[in-house]
Amino acid sequence: MATRTVVYTTSNTSSGYVMPYDMDVTQPWQLVALGGGGSGASGGSNAGGGGSGAAAFTNSTANTVSITAGLTKIYVSIGAGNSAGAGGATWASIGTNSSPGTGSTGTRGVLAAGGGAGTTTPGAGGTTANSGGSVLQAGASGGSGPTTHNGGGGGGSPIVNLSGTTLAGGTGGSGYTVDNDGCGGGGGGASLTTAGSNGGTGTATTGGAGGNGGGGSGGGSGATSSTGAVAGTTGTGGGGGGGFGTSNVSSASGANGNYFTDSFSGQQVGAGGGSGGGSGTSSVTGNGGYGAGSGGTLGTAGTGGNGFVVLVYTVATNTETQKTVVFTTTGASSYTIPSDFDTTKAFQLIALGGGGGGYNRGGGGGSGAVAYANKGSVTATITPGSTVLYMSIGTGGNASASSPTAGGATWASIGTNSSPGTGSTGTRGVLAAGGGAATSTTGGAGGTTANSGGFILQAGSAGGARGSTTNGGGGAGAPMINPYGTGYAGGTGGAGYSVSSQGAGGGGGAASLTIPGSIGGAGAATTGGAGGAGGDFTAGGSGGTSGSPNGNNVSTGGGGGGGAFGTTGIGGSSGYIPSFTDSSSSTQVGASGGAGGTQATSGAGSSVYGGGGGYGGQGFVVLVYYSTGTGPVTNTTNFFFMFR
Amino acid sequence: MLRVAIVDDVTNIVDNIVVANSLDDCGQPGTFAIDVTDGPPCAPGWVYDPATGLFTDPSA
């Protein structure tokens, strides 16, 4: 039976994540967490390296919480690596929005302590005493800094594999005992089968080498009097090399491991390597990989690595065809649930609000919110071929030099011709608030979760603020929620430049089904801000210049439009990310980036779906369901499905 | 991606430092969230001063 891996690298303790709709809850599953890495000591003598976070594990055997696929929530808090103290703790909890607690035994989740900060002594690894789960592994300590200048390396990260086997990270290497010589290397991160190696100790001629990751390679070499320190090899969890003497004082970063791969997004995580220690007041130490500590230094310490959570489960067997229906007509409409709608299988309903309008030479519009409901949350009766899905799709706000308008809310309701309402929980549908209009000086607010309703909600983002008189802010990129119920934010709009008649801000990037959008670039003295990249990794439009004052458009992908330049330029328009495709018409929809900020008093860029303007993008509704195969043959795909 | 301090709303002690998509994703009961992506420095156990927006290390 097929398994699926879900990687969580951002927190959600508000609406939580949903246990996957395609999870077979009768089969074994595993949950693993890694705490954030601590920082090495910074700006002081005898600088110790930071410790790595602890690892925690639980599984379906230890768990006592009843799980319903697509309904039960899993709340996740990802511990951040630190540049000035201890790493944050990471926890994941099934069904209850709080940490399972220290000493817990994995009955509802896991808690992995963050690594300690280095001081004049090495930072301790995150302890099992401060963690919780059915299996625990402590983090590794940083290395010591025995002299004024020679810092210790950061600890490498541990892990617990899917069988519940503990694997330690390598400890950070210590600095050499004669001052102004070699610093310690970072410890290596564990693989899923082998512990990480310890970071090397600095010597009279070289910084300590980074410890190898559990795969047996990847540790970076230490600096010498003639060569700089080398970072751990990407994907191995190798530690970074330590700095040396007075010539190559800075250390290198530890690498992330790549031992878990998200089956949907392809994102990879794994125990990371620590960074090396630095030598002298001008050194900058590298950053730790996932969960690992950064090296200590008399200069400026890098940042420990962030933690993560991984869920692995068995996918429920399903041989039916999944269909998608896309709705884009603004205003009120209705749709009869098709006769081939399988009420026994998972379905999802997603709505995006319209984006707010921008103020010419003022703020950028906010993006609409997005709302989600599914079979787990809906209690309304559905009779295929009879029950009506009512909806109202919000329009995008208008751009104006005096009175831009807000984006309209979008809602969809099963069986009842009215909005489900704010605060509703997805029992009969969804409501996604529109993005706010900008003012002459400030960006419009994103559509809020408070003004929305559904099982899962993701707020819109704010437009950029005006910098000075003519320099408008960019519109915000639209957010999105994927069919698994995971939401991603759009990028905020970039602000205009502070001196008049120069650069306006770029639009924010749109979220994809797996990645948030990036923030729009701020306007500058010589150019408008670039649009933020979309969650599909496409670049935003470039900003206008004195020779070409209009911001540049993007017609595909989610990047926001570029900001204009000067006094007459118009902000660029944004395309959208084609995240959903209608099974019959092939119409595609997805979040759009925000428009770039504009300089002209008339004319503005636009967004397609949900992003802030200029002219804000309209909303849409998407219904995804499994077909019983008894409905009408509506396209070629269905034809072959029916008759082969 | 934001770096967010989760602060106890009674004691103003930092409970955790987390990675989040937006401040809206940090809704733990009894706490409030502060975006510290670009500083100021803080760590679990430090105390937040609402008047200054800064954090202090009680052990320093």
Side-chain angles (χ1 to χ4, degrees):
Chain A
M1 286 181 284
T3 60
R4 177 174 174 247
T5 300
V6 187
V7 168
Y8 302 98
T9 55
T10 60
S11 304
N12 190 335
T13 60
S14 50
S15 58
Y17 296 107
V18 185
M19 293 298 275
Y21 71 81
D22 57 356
M23 178 179 188
D24 185 343
V25 299
T26 67
Q27 297 298 313
W29 53 262
Q30 300 85 29
L31 186 64
V32 179
L34 177 66
S39 72
S42 187
S45 300
N46 301 100
S52 63
F57 167 97
T58 191
N59 62 9
S60 44
T61 302
N63 173 69
T64 59
V65 176
S66 175
I67 297 172
T68 301
L71 178 62
T72 304
K73 298 283 186 69
I74 178 169
Y75 298 91
V76 171
S77 186
I78 301 292
N82 211 330
S83 60
T90 296
W91 56 261
S93 172
I94 299 169
T96 301
N97 189 6
S98 63
S99 166
T102 57
S104 56
T105 56
T107 54
R108 66 173 168 92
V110 284
L111 165 63
T119 59
T120 54
T121 59
T127 65
T128 55
N130 289 329
S131 303
S134 63
V135 179
L136 302 172
Q137 170 62 49
S141 65
S144 65
T147 69
T148 299
H149 292 83
N150 302 347
S157 297
I159 203 66
V160 182
N161 70 19
L162 299 180
S163 300
T165 304
T166 58
L167 299 140
T171 57
S174 297
Y176 189 54
T177 52
V178 176
D179 204 21
N180 283 319
D181 284 338
C183 303
S191 71
L192 298 185
T193 56
T194 309
S197 299
N198 295 337
T201 302
T203 72
T205 57
T206 180
N212 286 330
S217 63
S221 56
T224 68
S225 59
S226 59
T227 60
V230 175
T233 304
T234 302
T236 66
F244 180 80
T246 58
S247 47
N248 289 296
V249 295
S250 294
S251 72
S253 295
N256 290 328
N258 64 357
Y259 301 109
F260 296 104
T261 302
D262 188 290
S263 305
F264 189 57
S265 70
Q267 181 179 14
Q268 294 185 310
V269 296
S275 66
S279 175
T281 56
S282 61
S283 69
V284 178
T285 69
N287 302 321
Y290 282 118
S294 60
T297 176
L298 190 57
T300 303
T303 304
N306 297 333
F308 60 75
V309 169
V310 173
L311 171 68
V312 179
Y313 65 93
T314 300
V315 177
T317 301
N318 194 332
T319 59
E320 294 184 333
T321 300
Q322 206 167 30
K323 287 187 176 180
T324 301
V325 189
V326 167
F327 305 94
T328 59
T329 302
T330 56
S333 62
S334 63
Y335 170 80
T336 302
I337 302 288
S339 56
D340 67 335
F341 187 104
D342 189 341
T343 58
T344 69
K345 296 293 194 319
F347 65 86
Q348 297 90 32
L349 184 61
I350 299 167
L352 175 67
Y359 199 109
N360 288 20
R361 297 189 164 186
S367 57
V370 60
Y372 168 101
N374 67 9
K375 181 178 187 297
S377 68
V378 170
T379 56
T381 300
I382 297 177
T383 304
S386 174
T387 300
V388 175
L389 176 67
Y390 297 93
M391 68 193 87
S392 178
I393 295 179
T395 57
N398 280 324
S400 168
S402 58
S403 55
T405 57
T410 297
W411 58 261
S413 170
I414 298 169
T416 302
N417 190 9
S418 64
S419 166
T422 59
S424 57
T425 55
T427 55
R428 68 173 166 93
V430 285
L431 166 62
T439 72
S440 60
T441 57
T442 63
T448 65
T449 55
N451 289 329
S452 303
F455 186 45
I456 298 290
L457 303 171
Q458 177 70 51
S461 298
R466 184 186 79 170
S468 177
T469 37
T470 60
N471 302 341
M480 194 39 59
I481 298 176
N482 69 28
Y484 287 100
T486 303
Y488 296 93
T492 55
Y497 189 62
S498 58
V499 177
S500 298
S501 305
Q502 295 180 341
S512 71
L513 297 181
T514 54
I515 307 285
S518 298
I519 62 173
T526 56
T527 181
D536 58 352
F537 303 109
T538 57
S542 56
T545 62
S546 59
S548 180
N550 291 344
N552 287 288
N553 305 330
V554 284
S555 58
T556 59
F565 184 83
T567 58
T568 60
I570 295 173
S573 297
S574 173
Y576 66 96
I577 298 174
S579 298
F580 299 98
T581 302
D582 189 286
S583 301
S584 296
S585 69
S586 298
T587 299
Q588 294 185 310
V589 295
S592 176
T598 199
Q599 309 285 45
T601 53
S602 64
S606 60
S607 171
V608 184
Y609 294 118
Y615 294 94
Q618 70 168 74
F620 63 74
V621 170
V622 172
L623 173 67
V624 181
Y625 69 95
Y626 282 100
S627 167
T628 58
T630 57
V633 177
T634 54
N635 61 25
T636 305
T637 302
N638 288 342
F639 179 85
F640 285 115
F641 173 72
M642 293 287 289
F643 294 102
R644 67 182 164 188
Chain B
M1 222 60 70
L2 304 179
R3 189 166 170 271
V4 179
I6 306 298
V7 184
D8 187 293
D9 62 10
V10 175
T11 65
N12 283 335
I13 295 173
V14 177
D15 177 59
N16 205 0
I17 307 290
V18 303
V19 185
N21 201 354
S22 73
L23 290 178
D24 289 334
D25 289 338
C26 303
Q28 292 164 250
T31 66
F32 59 95
I34 298 173
D35 182 354
V36 293
T37 306
D38 300 315
C42 63
W46 291 25
V47 181
Y48 176 65
D49 182 349
T52 64
L54 301 177
F55 299 82
T56 55
D57 180 356
S59 64

